[in-house]
Amino acid sequence: MLWSLTFMEFPTLTPTPSTYVDGGVKKNMAVTQFEAVDARRCFPCWDEPALKARFKITLDVSKEFMALSNMPVLDEKLTGDIKTVYFEESPHMSTYLVAFVIGLFDYIEETTVDGIKVRVYCPLGKSEEGRYSLSLAIKVLDYFTKYFSMSYPLPKLDMVAVPEFSGGAMENNGLIVYRENLMLYDDLHSSAKNKQVLAICVAHEVAHHWFGNLVTMAWWSDLWLNEGFATWVSYMAIETLFPEWKMWTQFLQQTASGLVIDALEESHPIEMEVHPARSIDDKFDAISYKKGSTIIRMLQIYLGDENFQKALSEYIKRYAWKNAKTDDLWAVISEESGTQINLMMDTWTKQMGYPAISVKSSDNTLEFEQSHFLLSGLHSDSQWIIPITLSLGSYNKQKNFVIETKFHKVDISKDFADANTTTTPETIPNTGDGNFWIKVNTSQSGFYRVKYDDKLASQLRKAVENNVLSETDKFGVLDDAYALCQAGQQLLSSLLSLIDVYRKELDYIVTSRLIHVCNGIVNIATEAIPDLVFELKQFFINVLQFSATKLGWEPILDEDHSSAILRGRLYTALASFDDDKTHEEAMQRFQAYMRDRKTTLLSADTKMAVYLAVIRKATVSSRYGFESMLQLYREADTAENREEILRILAACPDQDLLVEALDFLVSDEVREQDIVYGLAGISFEGRHRAWKWFKDNWDPIFNRYGANFLLTNFVRDIITPFCSNEEANEIEEFFATRPHEAVAMDLKQSLEQVRIKARWVEFIRQDHSLPDLIEKLAAKGSS
C-alpha cells in the first residue's frame, strides 16, 4: 500500500503550532505528534499499527522555512513565495510514525561508519548545544546495529529540538522530535544529572527504530514491546558507552517505580485489553515502561547474555517490517535459547501484580512462600513462576533456581561449612568477622519483594552495617523493607532501625533511595505522629550529614559522575528537611549568584538544592526568594534553567505564596508542557491549599487541558499527597459529578494510594515504641 500525501502550508494543518522567540519576535513552527491515534486527524488513513504502508510525502511551505519528514528530500521547487518539498518514498511503516516538522533551525551533522547521515536540528544560534546528542546518536546507532545484527533501516536520521511538544520525545521513523531540555546540552551550565537523562532519552528513541518502528506491535495491547524494550536496551547501551556511570545499578530506579504502581489493586497486566484505541493514552505508564523493562532484564539474566542476544537478533530478523505479539517474542526466544519460557513469562505479562516471597530459616533449610503483594493488604490467589537468585554469605556462593509453586524449600546445609566467610562483591576478600547472611534476589534482578524472618533480617542489617553487600543489594534491602512497612507487614520502628545503619553510605543509587524513603516517612509521620516530626527530620539530617560533609558543596577535580549527581541530591534533601546549616549556606550562595551570575559558588549540580532552600524560606511577608525565582525564570535562556525553577516554585510551605505559584504555573508565562514540573514540586505542607485551588479552578483547568496528558498530572500530583479516608471520600465525591475518561485510571490509582496511606497512618499510631526510639536516634548526631 502506498500513500501519496501533499500538505499545504502548516497554519491549515492539525499539527500543533510550536512558538518560540527569535530576536524578541514571537514566531511559529509546526511539529506533528501522531502516536497513538492522531494520524487520522491529519490525513485519511487506516490508523492502526498493523496496517503498515509506504508513504510519499510532499510539503508546501513558505520559502524561508525548512521542511523535514521521515525520509530524505528528493526535490524542491519554488513557486513565488511557496516552496514545494518532495520526500523520498518511505519503507513500510505504521501511521503513528509518520511525521514532519516545519520551521527555522541551525543544524550540525555527522555520518556513521555505515554511511548513515545523522543531523541534529537546534534552535537558531544553539547548534553547538546539540553536539553531545549528535555524538550519542552516532555511538548508539553503531551499538544497536551490532547488538541486533541488523543495520539501521533508513537512509538518514534527523533529531530535532522543539520548544513545545506534548511528549518528552517521539521516535518518528527517521525524524525523532525532542523537547529542548532532552536534546540540548551545555558543558558549562548543564548538570551531570541532565547529561545522563539526555543520554538515556537519545538511546531510548534511537532504539525504537528496531523495537517499535522496524518490528511493531500488532496492536496497542502489546505497547510494552515498544516501550519496555526501548527502556531496557537504552540502559544497556549507555552502560556500555559509559561504564563509570553504573547504569545497570541506576536501572533499579525503574524497577522500584514499577513495583510501586504494580502493588496497587488498580494496576493492570503488561498485556492488556485496549478498546477503543484512544484508551491507550493512560497505558503509557510505569507498567509498560518500567515493569516491562525489568522483566526483560530478569529474563536476560535468567537465560544469559549470549543466548538472549542471539534470540533477539533472530526475532528482529524474522519480524522486520512486520508486526508481532508478545507470544511471537516468547516463541522465538524459546526456540533460539533452547529453554521454554512461555509459561513462566505469561505469569509476568498476562496477570497484574507480582509476588512477595517470605523466607524463613529452619535448621539447614530455607523455606519460601510466595503471595501476591498488594499495598492495600488484600490477598489474591495469583502465583508466578519465579527465577530466584540467592547469595549465602558471599557473592562467590550463589544458588539459582525457579519457584513454580506457592511453597518451596532449599537445602543449604553444605553452605554452612563456610559460614564464617563474608565477602564484598568487588574484591571478594575474607573479612573474618564471623557473620553469615542470606540475600534473596541478588542484585535486585527480579521483579518481586522479599520478606525475611527476624533472624535473616537481623543478619542482613548487620551485613549492611559492615558494608559487605553490593550497592544493588543495599538498595534492595532498604526498598523492600519500606514497601513492607507501607503495607503494614513491618513496623516503622524496625524500618528506622534499618535506616540507622546506612549512616556512612556514599553510593549514589543507595543514598538516592535512602532519601526517597526518608521523604516518604516524614510525610506520613506529619499525619500520623506530628509531634515527632521535628526529631524525625533531625535523625534523617544526621544520617545524611556524613555523605554531605564528605562531598562538600564544591565540585572536586576529576571526581566521578555519580559524585556530582549525589552532591545535588544530598543537599536538596537536607534543604527539604529544613536543615539550618544547609539553608544558611544556600542563601549565601544564592545572594552571591544574584549579585553576579558568573559566580562559581552556584554550580549546575547544586543549583536545585540552593533554589529549594531559598523558596522554603519565602513567605508572603518576606518575598525576596519567591520574587528572585520569578526574575531568574524570566531571564532564563534555556529550557533546563526554566525547568529547575519550576520544579521548586510551589515547594514553599507558605500557603498564600503557594497559590501565587500555582497561578503562575497556569499563566501564559509557562508553556503547557512545563506545568508538570511545578505540579510535581508542590510542598507537602501545601497539599490542602493546592486541593482547594484545584477545585476552585476546575472549570478553566478542564477546559484548557482536558484533552491532553496534562490533566492526569493535575489529578495525580494534587491528590496523592493526602493520607486519610476522609480526604479520599471528599475527592471521590468531587469527581463523581465530573467524570472524565482520560483521568479515570489515574484517579483510581491516586485514591487507592491515599487509602493505603490512611491505613499506614493507623499502623504507625499503634507502634508505641516510636517516641523513645526516634528521640534516641535523633540524639545520636551525625557519624
Side-chain angles (χ1 to χ4, degrees), residues 55-58 67 69 71-77 84-90 156:
F55 294 87
K56 201 169 183 179
I57 293 175
T58 303
S69 189
M71 299 299 289
V73 173
L74 181 66
D75 193 15
E76 290 186 4
K77 293 182 180 178
T84 301
V85 184
Y86 303 88
F87 295 92
E88 293 180 14
E89 183 181 312
S90 77
K156 63 92 174 174

Side-chain angles (χ1 to χ4, degrees), residues 731-782:
I731 293 163
E732 268 187 326
E733 184 178 342
F734 177 80
F735 281 100
T737 56
R738 297 165 179 85
H740 189 55
E741 185 178 342
V743 300
M745 174 172 283
D746 281 277
L747 179 60
K748 288 178 182 178
Q749 290 180 344
S750 297
L751 285 168
E752 183 180 350
Q753 289 179 76
V754 173
R755 296 192 186 281
I756 287 167
K757 284 187 283 188
R759 181 172 175 265
W760 189 18
V761 164
E762 294 307 313
F763 278 116
I764 291 172
R765 288 172 177 168
Q766 295 168 23
D767 189 347
H768 301 300
S769 65
L770 281 172
D772 289 343
L773 176 64
I774 292 173
E775 182 181 354
K776 177 183 176 182
L777 292 172
K780 285 180 70 171
S782 57

Side-chain angles (χ1 to χ4, degrees), residues 30-203:
V31 55
T32 58
Q33 166 60 37
F34 290 156
E35 190 179 31
V37 290
D38 285 325
R40 66 190 70 178
R41 296 176 61 199
C42 192
F43 56 90
C45 58
W46 287 279
D47 198 9
E48 298 184 5
L51 299 178
K52 293 189 174 185
R54 291 174 290 123
F55 294 87
K56 201 169 183 179
I57 293 175
T58 303
L59 295 174
D60 286 344
V61 302
S62 295
K63 64 181 181 181
E64 70 270 19
F65 287 122
M66 288 182 176
L68 307 173
S69 189
N70 305 92
M71 299 299 289
V73 173
L74 181 66
D75 193 15
E76 290 186 4
K77 293 182 180 178
L78 190 62
T79 306
D81 290 334
I82 299 298
K83 177 172 60 176
T84 301
V85 184
Y86 303 88
F87 295 92
E88 293 180 14
E89 183 181 312
S90 77
H92 278 87
M93 65 182 190
S94 302
T95 49
Y96 77 89
L97 295 169
V98 175
F100 51 85
V101 176
I102 303 166
L104 295 174
F105 303 94
D106 285 338
Y107 70 85
I108 51 178
E109 67 178 46
E110 288 186 26
T111 302
T112 70
V113 292
D114 293 331
I116 306 299
K117 182 178 288 187
V118 181
R119 282 184 177 177
V120 167
Y121 289 85
C122 306
L124 296 175
K126 293 189 175 184
S127 59
E128 284 305 305
E129 293 182 27
R131 185 71 60 184
Y132 176 61
S133 292
L134 177 60
S135 68
L136 280 169
I138 295 290
K139 291 173 183 176
V140 296
L141 279 170
D142 180 60
Y143 176 82
F144 293 141
T145 294
K146 292 175 180 176
Y147 187 85
F148 295 123
S149 301
M150 175 75 73
S151 297
Y152 175 74
L154 298 170
K156 63 92 174 174
L157 173 62
D158 292 335
M159 304 201 306
V160 188
V162 299
E164 287 184 283
F165 193 58
S166 61
M170 176 61 202
E171 69 272 16
N172 308 300
N173 232 6
L175 180 62
I176 303 174
V177 179
Y178 300 85
R179 290 187 186 182
E180 289 180 0
N181 61 333
L182 292 175
M183 198 190 86
L184 304 182
Y185 177 80
D186 182 339
D187 281 326
L188 293 177
H189 302 106
S190 294
S191 67
K193 181 66 175 178
N194 197 59
K195 185 176 188 178
Q196 181 178 292
V197 169
L198 190 153
I200 287 292
C201 184
V202 169

